[in-house]
Amino acid sequence: MSPLDPPVPPDSVLALNSVVSKLKRRVDELEKGAAADGAKMTELNDKLSSIVGLLEGQTAGGPPSGWVWTTMDQEAAAKAWEELVTWRRKTLRARFPTTWQATARPCWYRHPEVVEELSVLYLTWHSAYLDPEAPPRRAADWIDRLPMVRDRLKKLLERCQRSHAEQWGDPMDLEYSTPKDHDEFEIKAFIKADLADRPKSSEAEAEDS
């Protein structure tokens, strides 16, 4: 070997270099995997935080995670009716008319199952669209549910034209099958009667005493 030739490393050093190279490649793979796992963990944490917020009724300072109509007092029910009727008229009708048409019956508010379906639809819409931390996927999931909800609403209301003939008119009328919305006077009277059957809130009882 010429004095000018670089020294040849011993076999042990070559073997170590090979091991180091393999370890470096493995570290690189682990780092990439850790980054991917970290992204997944971040997504899961976001979902968990969102679920916790919904359960605590703190999402975007809006409505609680669920409405239990059977336990509402007068104040809670009045607020829920106002939110639901307003949302159905301003948002559902304007932005999702096909779904709104499935509820376009003069008596929709008289059917507890329909009110429950619309309540869930409203609360999940609120979570999907008004929560500033909601991922776009939540709105996509909400829209994906609409066809199924429409089908249930149609089935729940399909017999209304026979059971509420006084509101629909003559079955021989050509406009008989045309979707019709509720009468404002009648729904206000219904809500007033509904509230009268509910207990007063603790604050209202304190004021009366």
Side-chain angles (χ1 to χ4, degrees), residues 88-89 93 100 103-109 168 178-184:
R88 178 181 172 276
R89 181 179 67 250
R93 184 172 188 171
W100 174 84
T103 73
R105 302 292 184 272
C107 55
W108 68 265
Y109 55 88
W168 281 92
T178 303
K180 299 179 182 179
D181 205 8
H182 61 259
D183 178 83
E184 289 296 331

Side-chain angles (χ1 to χ4, degrees), residues 46 50 54 59 124 127-128 131 133-143:
D46 290 343
S50 177
L54 285 172
T59 305
T124 50
S127 171
D131 180 357
E133 298 182 357
R137 186 173 181 177
R138 196 182 296 176
D141 290 341
W142 187 86
I143 291 176

Side-chain angles (χ1 to χ4, degrees), residues 148-165:
M148 179 174 57
V149 175
R150 280 197 299 269
D151 289 342
R152 288 202 298 264
L153 288 169
K154 289 178 180 178
K155 290 179 180 179
L156 289 170
L157 291 169
E158 65 185 359
R159 294 185 298 274
C160 286
Q161 290 168 285
R162 293 190 296 273
S163 60
H164 302 296

